[in-house]
Structures are given as C-alpha cells and as structure tokens.
Amino acid sequence: MPISLALVAILAAPVAAIAAPASLLPTAPEASSPPSQLVPLAVDSAWTPRFAAAADELVAALRSRDEAAWAPLLGGQWLSAADRVRVENLLGDRHSPFRRALFSKGFTHRAILGWRAPASLSADERAAIEAGKEAEAIVCWSAGGDGTGPWPATATEADNRPGRSYACARIVYSIRGTTSAWRAFIEQAPA
C-alpha cells in the first residue's frame, strides 16, 4: 500500500516540476557569409586539361541535341525525367543561354572557373588541393565577343537564367586509382 501511494504521488506531481531538456542544437541563426568568388583555373593546374577535355565532350554532346549523347554525361540512369525535359528545353528554347552560346553563328568561347582559394591557405595546403583526387569546376560558354566575359562571378550566377550572356555547367571530376570519371550538372534558376 505505501508503494502504491508513492506511485500515485509521483503521477500526480505537476508536469512543470519535470524540466524539459535543453536543446543541443543552436537556436540562433548562422551568420551568412558572402558567396565564394569564381576565378579562371590556372593554366598550369593539373586539373585544367582534365576539365577542358570534359568540357569539350560535354559541349559536343549538347550541340548534338541527342539525349543519348548528353544524358550519360549528366547522370545517365540517375538523371530524372524532369531533368531530361529541363535540359531538352534549355537546348531548344530560343531565349535560353545555351541556344545563344552553343548554336549561334559566332565563335564560342569557353571559361573554366574554380573557386577562389582563401588567402589563409599555406603553400602546402594549396599543393594538397592541386594533388587531390577530386575537384569541381564551372565551365561556361559564350558566343561572340573576345572571350573575356562577362563570366559569372559566383556559382549563383551560373544559373542559366534567360538573358544571361553565357551558359554554364558544373563538372565534378574524380580519380580513383587509375580510373578517372566526371559528371556534369546543369543548374537552372527557378522561373
């Protein structure tokens, strides 16, 4: 009987007496940082010829307008039906930056852009990045002009929005042992 009375007393205790645990997650919003600036990949970088070859293969596939040519480079079986339609529309829409950059009668220029490394990186850290097994770059094409741009200043500006004077794709490159592979992504700003 005394045990059951103690149990009743515990159950009847006000809920407020039991303190809720404090959250382990921060509740203050994180400070936003400015977007990282894009800069041309160094001509002497080990990654420049790799990205140039990938960009040449990608642009040839996109210019063919043949889904069987470009879909494997953009994810193959993992490329969703909606993304396939979106890319087809980008290649066919006369207001699309791809239409102007890849299909105009003018000479098509190419820029291979990477993210500006923080000034705080040491020479050893920069060498480790250069010797790394994975890298990412944004490749853009533009028709006419002298090839000096304007090019996107940040990855956000590589959104293939109608009216842009350039069309862009993000290429992710990976080297595993003796095998190298890359995949392209074509972002598009929401309408």
Side-chain angles (χ1 to χ4, degrees):
M1 179 102 145
I3 294 176
S4 61
L5 288 176
L7 184 58
V8 168
I10 291 173
L11 293 175
V15 176
I18 301 172
S23 173
L24 298 177
L25 300 174
T27 56
E30 291 184 28
S32 64
S33 58
S36 296
Q37 296 293 306
L38 294 175
V39 294
L41 238 51
V43 174
D44 61 346
S45 169
W47 289 103
T48 300
R50 294 174 181 141
F51 283 115
D56 290 345
E57 187 177 348
L58 179 60
V59 78
L62 292 172
R63 280 185 171 145
S64 76
R65 295 185 183 161
D66 180 9
E67 182 178 334
W70 55 258
L73 305 177
L74 296 173
Q77 66 184 6
W78 294 281
L79 185 63
S80 72
D83 284 337
R84 289 173 191 271
V85 169
R86 187 177 52 79
V87 172
E88 284 177 8
N89 290 340
L90 279 171
L91 296 175
D93 180 3
R94 65 186 184 105
H95 299 294
S96 164
F98 277 95
R99 183 70 177 247
R100 275 177 275 159
L102 302 183
F103 303 107
S104 73
K105 294 180 184 184
F107 182 77
T108 299
H109 300 281
R110 178 185 68 202
I112 302 173
L113 308 167
W115 286 263
R116 182 183 306 274
S120 61
L121 287 181
S122 69
D124 289 340
E125 291 169 320
R126 290 175 191 270
I129 291 170
E130 183 70 20
K133 298 294 182 186
E134 296 178 353
E136 189 172 318
I138 293 180
V139 178
C140 300
W141 300 274
S142 179
D146 59 5
T148 60
W151 299 109
T154 65
T156 305
E157 294 174 8
D159 60 0
N160 299 306
R161 181 180 311 221
R164 295 273 193 218
S165 61
Y166 49 79
C168 299
R170 182 171 50 93
I171 297 177
V172 178
Y173 207 102
S174 177
I175 302 170
R176 298 283 180 231
T178 59
T179 304
S180 62
W182 60 270
R183 178 177 176 191
F185 299 85
I186 296 178
E187 276 88 20
Q188 186 177 18

